[in-house]
Amino acid sequence: MEAVPSPASHDFRARARVEADRYGPDAWIFVRELLQNTRDAGATRVEIRASEDATTARIVCRDDGEGMSYDHARRFLFALYASSKESRRDQVGRFGVGFWSILRFEPARIVIRSRPRGGGPESAWEVELDGSLEQATRRTPTMEPGTEVLLERPRTDGEIVRRVRDAAHQNARFLTCKGDPERPLPVVINGESIGAPFELPAPSSAFRRRGLRGVVGLGSAARVELFSRGLRVRAAATFDDLLSPGGRSTSRSRVHFAELPSRLAPQALLESDRLEVLLSRADARENRALRRLVRLGQRELARLLDRQLDVSRPLPWFRRWPMTLRLGLRNSLALRTALGALAGAALALVVSIALWGERLTERFLGGPGGGAGPGSAGPGVVIHQVSPPADGTFSDIARVYRGPQVDTLEGSGGALGLRYAPPEGLYFFASLIIDRFDDDGVPQSSPPRGALTPYRSSACLEGQECVQVTLPIRQAEAGTLPIPVPTGHRLDADTLRLDGAPRPAFASLHDAPFLVFDRPAEGTLTYTTTPAAPAGRASAAPVRSGLPAELARLARALQREPPKVRVQRLVDEIRARVAYSVDREVAEAHQAARARGQGLFERTLAIGKGDCDVQNALLVALLQEAGVQARLAIGHVGAEGRSRPWYHAWVEYRIGDGPWMIADASGGAADEGGPAVADDGPGPSVAASEASGGAGEPGVRSGASSTGPTPVAVADGASATPPSASPRVATASRGLGPYATASASLGLLAALALLILTLARRTRRSLALEPSQDLTSLLQGVLQHPESFQSLPAVFQRPLIPIARRPPISIEDARALASAGRLFRSRGRSALAEDAIDGGATVLEEHVPEARMVADALGAADLDAWDDLLAGAEVTPLLTAVNQHLAELGEPWLMMAAPGIGKSARTLDLGLLRLRKTPLRGRRVVVVDADDPWLVEAAAARAQAPAAALFAALDRLLDHLDLPADRRGRILAASARLAVAEAAE
């Protein structure tokens, strides 16, 4: 034995006691903390001995856990705020304070002894402290591995055994072993085990998910207890109180829940290892994990209640299915997910058919012209004429453009009647903008028809290279029409005229200008454009999927380079991999690859050839992957003041908030290898030397040969009729092949089934129902303490209360009827009750226990008692005068008198009963005591002063009626005038 320096001074004890007090007012909280430490030490058994003799109260806690060395104890146990558990998620205590909650016991002597597991007998140690923590003595005990704590203090009231057992039972009856949450940790108090199974008596439902478990039920005490690794951290009467910041939850180690055997209330035990346990009061932080656990408990309780009610009071089949569906939607995430997915798919299908019905028909059903036909180069391949209409009028090609594909050219092609001034310079007039394609090459971002907003004009300023445009248009039906604007320019909306008349301009989500027509129209459109950046700020470049992994990595690797370098590098990459071609063989190869289910980029790279929209669609995807805002533009190339033949596709890209610039990977048929990226500025304004076919200054790759721009695939017949005139689409079927379509559908169904199965299996449940459950106690609990059932709407809405000759009603309906005075009761089916039942009144059958309890709780009017009362009541001459006076004033009250009523009158509105046989039907009856002195005196005075007697009777009778003051005054005023006139005679 040796004396050792005290591990704590007076200041240490004062700080430790302050921290111990933060655990709340319960002095026995230290029992929970001792058990928590034994669990964290990996104990497989804990024994507590509590005793009192004539002078001393003693508690000894012994476990067979890991134990600890003396050095470890000096560093962590005998220090504040130092814990070896800080980084251990499987530990409960992490704050280095809990052990010193033993000071709440006010010990006069503390002995701590321990031996590390795996250490020899010499590794055991013992330290004895006095109550002030100023004297410490170290010894070497003989003991098995584990830890033992001894606390002693002077004897008090002799209740130490009961208090220790109570604290241990309430806090640690579900304690589990560390590392094995399925294995209970035995805790023995004076030889008696305090452990209990994690369950509630029937009716109950146990549920489990990864990292949490719970059990909900119905019992005689409303209680919800929250546990973390088997230790209780919070308790409340209801789920809502458990989460309410200022609610009635508590973390006291001993909590009394009021037992009311005559009623049932919700109960729950909830445990999660994801709770964030606090130092203060050993509570849990109200975080997402706690809220999710409580919501899960509420759903499981609602599920249990519905299942129990199905057993106790089954519904008829025609009511069961709607209730089951409503319950499933409320409780099953899998069902909500599946129905939401189906509803979304149905809505998407309806919207798609409404917006793109013709395209969907062509894509999935072959559509008009879907097969081989005249001019076909093989099965499913059609030669396209891709020039503007013969009369040169402009129409919206978005209605007929079906995405990038290779087209061969026949003839010289037609030219759009577009003219512009000054004629110097080469301009790319965009009339269709697309920033995304699906894997099959179908445009995913055509201009929205219903998302137009007023266009923000850009005025032409002095010194700018503005362009005056003249354009013949034809609009065959009501709708929208894009206004072709050179890339890098914006419309000066104030200059927009149609046949000389001003027209408003609208903007799409791409900041492209549109006209809106409410009827067919044609004429000449004139307007001015000016070099300018878009009205909105630059958005993040959308990153598409479907690119080959090699190209995607290449594009992402360029993100460190300047934007211009990225653009030029990727243009060169496309030119190296995909050569420009409009040969018939190339078109046939693309169509065949598509029929095999190959996507746009896959087949383009495999074939290695394509025309302008095929090449530039791939360039758009690479630029977006490289972090450059880019999109595909389709329209007309203008040179020498007019539009060239055929359509053309190019890439518009944007750096920061600057204007759109041009990049073109196609290179045309006669100018491959030339500069394809604008070096500065928006690009449309180019030297005249390039417009005539020379290299000119580095500027814009026009994508034009000496004969005109390269082609873009649009519907057959576009050269002859405007797109708005419902042209016959002659492209091959754009849908997936039959096998690919079937595979995709089966894959989607399999994924949906797997999702439903996965979500459905997330929660494992075990139900214990009570077939003989009495509904009376449940209904009484609901009516007396509705706050306990706030999260259980089914118990309020389910028809559980039997009524005479009609289907049962719900508690919600019964409360509404009672508040309106329309809820009645009957024991023996009196004549009045039978008449009321025949009229459809809601009459509770008192011989049924739950109906009798509801009638008592809600104060239903007793029709049997009223039948007896009315049978013995009569209308005296005085009351006849009173009733006549009330009738003259339009009041429906009928005054009657019966013996034995007492001082309080009784009232009943027979109009609410819809009676058919009772003579008094439709009246509001007031019955007073026939022997009441005021009534006797008024009747006697009536012979001498009838008006005064009438006034006196009315004055007393109106005291029994709950009437507004003005209405009462009106009734008495008429009677008072008669009494005054009578007195004056």
Side-chain angles (χ1 to χ4, degrees):
M1 180 177 67
E2 60 175 320
V4 298
S6 170
S9 64
H10 176 74
D11 291 339
F12 174 88
R13 189 188 188 287
R15 291 198 307 274
R17 181 55 194 264
V18 169
E19 294 298 337
D21 288 342
R22 291 177 59 186
Y23 280 78
D26 190 351
W28 298 90
I29 194 71
F30 73 91
V31 176
R32 181 182 66 187
E33 297 304 312
L34 289 176
L35 292 172
Q36 170 183 296
N37 287 340
T38 63
R39 184 262 178 200
D40 290 346
T44 61
R45 178 180 173 83
V46 182
E47 183 176 357
I48 297 179
R49 298 190 304 275
S51 61
E52 285 184 291
D53 55 27
T55 59
T56 305
R58 182 178 297 104
I59 298 175
V60 180
C61 179
R62 174 77 168 86
D63 69 70
D64 62 352
E66 299 172 355
M68 54 185 159
S69 66
Y70 180 68
D71 289 339
H72 182 94
R74 285 178 61 93
R75 291 178 56 195
F76 298 108
L77 186 65
F78 298 138
L80 281 176
Y81 317 118
S83 174
S84 60
K85 311 173 188 177
E86 292 179 352
S87 61
R88 302 283 298 276
R89 291 193 71 253
D90 61 344
Q91 308 278 30
V92 181
R94 303 191 310 275
F95 304 105
V97 175
F99 173 76
W100 293 107
S101 63
I102 61 174
L103 298 178
R104 300 296 302 275
F105 185 64
E106 299 293 348
R109 177 172 174 250
I110 304 171
V111 178
I112 305 149
R113 57 177 66 97
S114 185
R115 173 182 166 181
R117 186 180 296 168
E122 69 281 358
S123 63
W125 59 270
E126 174 184 303
V127 170
E128 179 178 342
L129 302 168
D130 66 344
S132 65
L133 305 185
E134 295 180 353
Q135 300 294 326
T137 303
R138 179 180 175 184
R139 306 182 186 93
T140 302
T142 299
M143 63 180 298
E144 296 297 322
T147 301
E148 181 177 298
V149 177
L150 166 66
L151 305 176
E152 290 183 351
R153 74 177 185 187
R155 174 186 171 90
T156 53
D157 57 2
E159 293 288 326
I160 186 172
V161 176
R162 180 185 63 81
R163 290 194 172 99
V164 170
R165 183 184 295 112
D166 189 28
H169 174 79
Q170 291 206 36
N171 287 277
R173 64 188 185 276
F174 306 130
L175 196 61
T176 59
C177 294
K178 185 181 75 172
D180 188 2
E182 302 296 329
R183 180 184 175 190
L185 176 60
V187 178
V188 178
I189 309 292
N190 287 9
E192 178 185 351
S193 175
I194 57 96
F198 197 79
E199 62 185 30
L200 292 171
S204 63
S205 173
F207 58 93
R208 183 181 296 273
R209 286 187 184 180
R210 183 179 179 183
L212 62 86
R213 63 174 177 167
V215 57
V216 293
L218 296 172
S220 58
R223 61 187 177 102
V224 180
E225 297 178 89
L226 182 66
F227 296 84
S228 175
R229 297 179 176 88
L231 288 170
R232 189 175 65 187
V233 294
R234 186 180 289 189
T238 68
F239 282 106
D240 292 333
D241 288 341
L242 197 66
L243 290 179
S244 177
R248 293 170 286 179
S249 64
T250 178
S251 61
R252 293 179 62 91
S253 67
R254 294 175 298 152
V255 183
H256 175 69
F257 296 99
E259 296 280 345
L260 297 176
S262 61
R263 68 173 176 85
L264 290 180
Q267 298 181 339
L269 306 174
L270 306 174
E271 181 180 55
S272 173
D273 59 10
R274 295 184 177 92
L275 298 178
E276 186 177 348
V277 180
L278 303 179
L279 167 64
S280 172
R281 300 174 60 215
D283 205 346
R285 188 183 302 279
E286 186 174 327
N287 58 8
R288 182 182 179 185
L290 176 56
R291 291 190 293 270
R292 291 182 63 182
L293 179 61
V294 170
R295 286 197 298 269
L296 177 61
Q298 290 174 325
R299 290 197 300 269
E300 293 300 320
L301 182 60
R303 182 191 300 272
L304 168 67
L305 183 60
D306 283 312
R307 294 291 297 274
Q308 179 60 50
L309 291 177
D310 286 339
V311 173
S312 303
R313 185 63 58 83
L315 292 172
W317 66 269
F318 56 86
R319 291 192 177 188
R320 185 181 304 120
W321 290 110
M323 294 280 298
T324 302
L325 179 60
R326 190 160 58 243
L327 171 65
L329 289 174
R330 186 172 69 240
N331 293 331
S332 174
L333 177 61
L335 182 59
R336 293 197 301 272
T337 302
L339 291 181
L342 291 176
L347 179 60
L349 180 61
V350 171
V351 173
S352 299
I353 292 175
L355 296 180
W356 307 294
E358 180 182 329
R359 301 186 188 183
L360 291 176
T361 302
E362 177 193 357
R363 178 174 175 81
F364 294 106
L365 301 179
S376 174
V381 180
V382 179
I383 305 303
H384 295 270
Q385 298 293 333
V386 285
S387 62
D391 60 1
T393 56
F394 174 75
S395 299
D396 188 1
I397 66 170
R399 304 185 186 187
V400 291
Y401 182 67
R402 298 297 182 259
Q405 61 178 328
V406 176
D407 288 86
T408 59
L409 303 180
E410 293 182 355
S412 60
L416 185 67
L418 182 146
R419 301 292 184 267
Y420 64 89
E424 297 79 20
L426 190 70
Y427 292 94
F428 287 62
F429 289 87
S431 56
L432 175 60
I433 300 296
I434 304 169
D435 58 17
R436 287 189 307 278
F437 300 90
D438 67 10
D439 289 342
D440 201 34
V442 177
Q444 300 296 297
S445 57
S446 57
R449 297 294 186 243
L452 299 179
T453 57
Y455 188 82
R456 294 171 59 183
S457 180
S458 292
C460 180
L461 304 178
E462 184 177 356
Q464 287 186 311
E465 296 180 358
C466 301
V467 179
Q468 288 80 40
V469 182
T470 301
L471 177 67
I473 66 168
R474 177 182 295 170
Q475 181 76 0
E477 58 186 15
T480 60
L481 183 70
I483 302 173
V485 173
T487 296
H489 279 220
R490 298 190 76 249
L491 175 68
D492 184 349
D494 294 336
T495 66
L496 185 62
R497 301 286 188 275
L498 179 60
D499 290 338
R503 295 285 302 191
F506 299 88
S508 71
L509 296 179
H510 294 126
D511 191 43
F514 275 77
L515 288 168
V516 177
F517 295 98
D518 57 4
R519 62 176 62 90
E522 63 178 308
T524 300
L525 195 67
T526 58
Y527 53 92
T528 299
T529 69
T530 182
R537 297 183 60 84
S539 60
V543 178
R544 64 156 288 107
S545 61
L547 280 172
E550 176 199 358
L551 279 181
R553 286 193 299 269
L554 172 64
R556 288 193 294 269
L558 293 174
Q559 291 181 359
R560 305 184 188 90
E561 301 291 340
K564 283 290 185 65
V565 174
R566 286 180 247 171
V567 176
Q568 188 63 63
R569 287 279 301 277
L570 293 176
V571 168
D572 294 341
E573 190 70 29
I574 297 299
R575 287 185 172 184
R577 292 174 180 262
V578 183
Y580 175 83
S581 175
V582 292
D583 294 339
R584 182 186 302 272
E585 293 77 10
V586 176
E588 292 176 357
H590 273 268
Q591 292 290 351
R594 184 175 190 181
R596 293 193 302 270
Q598 284 186 299
L600 171 64
F601 299 147
E602 180 185 1
R603 63 177 180 261
T604 298
L605 293 169
I607 296 170
K609 294 181 180 180
D611 62 4
C612 61
D613 57 344
V614 172
Q615 292 174 298
N616 286 317
L618 181 56
L619 177 59
V620 167
L622 285 172
L623 288 174
Q624 292 175 351
E625 191 75 34
V628 178
Q629 189 177 1
R631 60 193 191 182
L632 185 69
I634 300 173
H636 309 270
V637 178
E640 299 179 351
R642 64 182 60 210
S643 171
R644 289 181 174 180
W646 311 109
Y647 294 104
H648 182 55
W650 63 94
V651 174
E652 293 184 341
Y653 72 95
R654 188 179 181 195
I655 300 175
D657 292 333
W660 290 104
M661 296 183 287
I662 296 173
D664 193 346
S666 68
D671 194 15
E672 293 191 86
V677 182
D679 289 335
D680 46 36
S685 187
V686 189
S689 59
E690 185 175 353
S692 61
E697 66 180 66
V700 180
R701 160 60 49 213
S702 69
S705 67
S706 58
T707 59
T710 53
V712 174
V714 296
D716 191 18
S719 61
T721 57
S724 58
S726 301
R728 179 175 178 82
V729 181
T731 56
S733 174
R734 306 290 285 180
L736 297 171
Y739 295 107
T741 302
S743 300
S745 301
L746 290 175
L748 180 61
L749 291 176
L752 183 60
L754 180 62
L755 174 64
I756 294 175
L757 181 63
T758 301
L759 293 176
R761 291 175 59 87
R762 286 182 64 191
T763 302
R764 292 171 290 168
R765 301 179 181 88
S766 176
L767 278 173
L769 302 178
E770 179 56 61
S772 59
Q773 179 69 56
D774 181 14
L775 285 181
T776 305
S777 55
L778 174 61
L779 295 175
Q780 186 172 2
V782 175
L783 290 171
Q784 291 182 355
H785 298 277
E787 69 281 356
S788 298
F789 294 84
Q790 286 181 353
S791 61
L792 304 171
V795 75
F796 293 96
Q797 299 168 2
R798 191 179 181 112
L800 300 173
I801 306 170
I803 59 176
R805 294 210 299 266
R806 290 177 57 193
I809 62 173
S810 65
I811 293 178
E812 191 174 70
D813 294 336
R815 292 168 67 178
L817 289 169
S819 64
R822 294 178 176 270
L823 188 64
F824 307 96
R825 63 196 297 175
S826 173
R827 292 183 304 276
R829 294 286 186 89
S830 61
L832 179 62
E834 287 288 352
D835 199 357
I837 294 171
D838 291 340
T842 303
V843 181
L844 299 171
E845 300 269 29
E846 283 198 58
H847 66 273
V848 181
E850 49 264 41
R852 182 170 59 252
M853 188 279 303
V854 172
D856 291 338
L858 297 181
D862 190 338
L863 295 182
D864 296 344
W866 268 99
D867 188 70
D868 294 339
L869 184 62
L870 293 176
E874 62 177 358
V875 180
T876 65
L878 175 61
L879 295 180
T880 299
V882 170
N883 291 332
Q884 183 179 357
H885 181 77
L886 291 174
E888 292 172 354
L889 296 175
E891 296 292 341
W893 300 103
L894 176 65
M895 304 298 176
M896 304 181 71
I901 298 298
K903 294 184 178 180
S904 298
R906 299 186 183 180
T907 62
L908 178 65
D909 188 354
L910 296 179
L912 300 177
L913 292 174
R914 291 180 288 185
L915 300 173
R916 299 177 180 179
K917 303 175 183 178
T918 305
L920 301 178
R921 59 183 179 273
R923 306 298 298 272
R924 298 179 183 179
V925 179
V926 179
V927 181
V928 296
D929 195 331
D931 299 324
D932 200 317
W934 69 266
L935 184 60
V936 174
E937 293 175 4
R942 183 173 181 274
Q944 302 297 325
L950 175 64
F951 177 80
L954 280 172
D955 189 29
R956 293 299 298 268
L957 287 170
L958 291 178
D959 289 339
H960 297 292
L961 304 180
D962 186 15
L963 298 179
D966 56 342
R967 186 175 173 188
R968 174 188 172 93
R970 182 176 63 86
I971 295 174
L972 290 177
S975 175
R977 285 194 295 271
L978 295 176
V980 171
E982 180 183 71
E985 292 178 355

